[in-house]
Amino acid sequence: MEQAIFCGGCFWCTEAVFKRLKGVISLRPGFTGGFIKNPAYREVCQGDTGHAEGVIITYNSVEVSYEDLLEVFFSTHDPTTLNRQGQDLGTQYRSAIFYKNDTQKKIATQYMADLQNSKLFKNPIVTTLDPLDVFYDAEDNHHDYYDQNSSQPYCQFVISPKIKLLTQRFKDKLKNK
């Protein structure tokens, strides 16, 4: 089992996307990259803790590669907007990858360079790549948020389109129902 940490805006979105992939054993929403110990959601939302909302994914690398996770990550959020995803504004919604080892750093660095060179995005990629220091779990009410609240307006307008894109573009990478 390996772990990957991605921050792609609201962690409800990121969790909803990655939990549907084959090979993902578990994942937890939470916070990383800041300077406050044991932050609470209400503190992170104010934008002054330095933390980003993200997920820590435990996965089976035989079933899903780190490169596959990167492809899904960069396909389901906008890596060209600084400190913003849609209407969610602030450093807590930044696009970031936190690596656990030199191999992940090398793979992510090359992946981002190839993606930038491909000109797939009109604007430059602003996703940061940093070593993981500590990951703090979000409160329980944020776990499986989309699946428990999918009829709420935010979920319908922001998360559901990401799930639709995932199911159309990555059919072969999805868990069997």
Side-chain angles (χ1 to χ4, degrees):
M1 299 304 140
E2 295 188 43
Q3 289 187 318
I5 299 87
F6 297 114
C7 303
C10 173
F11 54 25
W12 299 337
C13 300
T14 313
E15 178 193 45
V17 166
F18 282 103
K19 76 179 287 184
R20 287 162 168 71
L21 296 179
K22 278 191 273 191
V24 171
I25 307 303
S26 65
L27 71 153
R28 302 182 325 265
F31 319 104
T32 192
F35 48 85
I36 302 293
K37 289 185 178 185
N38 299 309
Y41 179 74
R42 61 179 161 42
E43 295 170 317
V44 174
C45 282
Q46 292 173 4
D48 55 5
T49 67
H51 287 288
E53 290 189 17
V55 293
I56 188 165
I57 303 165
T58 301
Y59 66 99
N60 179 341
S61 60
V62 173
E63 293 184 70
V64 62
S65 69
Y66 189 66
E67 292 88 342
D68 290 335
L69 296 177
L70 287 167
E71 182 182 14
V72 170
F73 175 69
F74 282 106
S75 298
T76 55
H77 85 291
D78 184 352
T80 69
T81 55
L82 186 63
N83 301 328
R84 176 183 191 154
Q85 286 298 306
Q87 298 303 312
D88 294 329
L89 300 170
T91 58
Q92 68 271 29
Y93 301 115
R94 67 187 179 269
S95 176
I97 298 169
F98 290 86
Y99 59 88
K100 291 196 74 170
N101 56 50
D102 288 338
T103 301
Q104 284 185 349
K105 179 183 180 182
K106 181 180 176 183
I107 293 169
T109 299
Q110 186 63 55
Y111 192 93
M112 290 193 310
D114 292 346
L115 194 56
Q116 188 67 55
N117 291 335
S118 76
K119 307 279 189 217
L120 180 65
F121 296 104
K122 171 172 82 167
N123 296 317
I125 293 171
V126 296
T127 303
T128 58
L129 181 60
D130 297 300
L132 178 68
D133 180 23
V134 63
F135 186 90
Y136 298 102
D137 286 351
E139 297 87 344
D140 289 344
N141 60 313
H142 296 289
H143 295 239
D144 294 316
Y145 189 86
Y146 174 75
D147 289 338
Q148 294 178 24
N149 300 281
S150 60
S151 62
Q152 289 190 358
Y154 183 89
C155 293
Q156 286 294 306
F157 293 113
V158 178
I159 305 173
S160 290
K162 292 175 186 265
I163 300 302
K164 183 177 180 182
L165 174 103
L166 180 76
T167 57
Q168 290 173 343
R169 182 163 178 202
F170 298 102
K171 287 179 194 172
D172 61 321
K173 291 180 174 49
L174 299 177
K175 291 179 180 175
N176 296 326
K177 295 268 175 180

